[in-house]
Amino acid sequence: MHMRTIALTGACVFLVTGCTTIRATSPQRSAQEELLISTATDRAAEALAAQIPANLSAYVDASAMRTDNRAEGVESIDRQYALAAIDDALLRRGVRLMPDREHADAVIVPRAGMLSTDERATLIGLPALPAPIPVAGEAVAIPALSLYQNTKAKGLAKFAASVYDPRTGKLIVSTDPAYGFSRESDGVVLFLFTWSHNDMGVDMSSDPVKVRDNR
């Protein structure tokens, strides 16, 4: 009886460790989330720049886009990227960017109403569970057993801007909200059959990652 107990215990340990996933250290956000947000940001920046009169010499007042410099979190990083994307979109549409407002025909004050992701998941099966036996002090989990799983993620960005004359303070244009969206869908059927689709021009499921031309 004692030998049978030992054998059963050994078999359980083998099965648990054989089908577990060990997660090492990882960044605060996944590459997928960063790609979703930055792609949506690029698209919203394009939509915003399309509403600004071309051939202006303009100073971009970033005060409405900045966050507290003492809090360098992911929101600050997203807004820094958003400012760079807006500058790039303006330049490509013929706006000349000035280093100060004194030499500019217009001041552009962009603002962000949304820079985030939205994720929804459907699972038919068993979710991932913590393993009862730790392995070498690492975080261990038993993978999800998915008869059917579908995860949909969206990147969302919303920008707007006020443009005014720096000498008179008179409004030149107040833009409509400019939106940018991106999406990705991943799924598993019967544990083995998987798919992954997105509109960002990147195949994250391939190794190495492949970049597609989505133009």
Side-chain angles (χ1 to χ4, degrees), residues 16-26 129 131 133-143:
V16 169
T17 57
C19 64
T20 57
T21 299
I22 298 176
R23 181 178 180 182
T25 55
S26 60
L129 299 170
I133 303 174
V135 178
E138 297 285 351
V140 180
I142 299 174

Side-chain angles (χ1 to χ4, degrees), residues 120-190:
R120 307 290 173 87
T122 301
L123 171 65
I124 299 175
L126 296 176
L129 299 170
I133 303 174
V135 178
E138 297 285 351
V140 180
I142 299 174
L145 300 177
S146 306
L147 294 174
Y148 172 81
Q149 180 176 347
N150 187 23
T151 302
K152 294 182 179 179
K154 298 177 182 178
L156 309 101
K158 175 189 174 184
F159 300 147
S162 301
V163 184
Y164 67 91
D165 188 313
R167 285 167 285 278
T168 65
K170 184 178 179 181
L171 181 69
I172 297 174
V173 63
S174 179
T175 70
D176 293 329
Y179 293 93
F181 303 100
S182 58
R183 60 181 177 82
E184 178 157 7
S185 177
D186 302 287
V188 180
V189 175
L190 297 177

Side-chain angles (χ1 to χ4, degrees), residues 45-65:
E46 282 290 328
L48 180 69
Q51 301 181 58
I52 306 297
N55 300 318
L56 279 179
S57 62
Y59 170 74
V60 177
D61 180 351
S63 58
M65 292 283 288

Side-chain angles (χ1 to χ4, degrees), residues 8 21 31 36-37 59 76 92-93 95 121 124 141 156 159 168 205:
L8 288 174
T21 299
L36 284 165
I37 292 176
Y59 170 74
S76 177
R92 285 188 285 108
R93 295 192 66 85
V95 176
I124 299 175
L156 309 101
F159 300 147
T168 65
S205 63

Side-chain angles (χ1 to χ4, degrees), residues 3-16:
M3 294 300 295
R4 180 179 296 180
T5 302
I6 294 175
L8 288 174
T9 302
C12 290
V13 171
F14 175 77
L15 289 174
V16 169

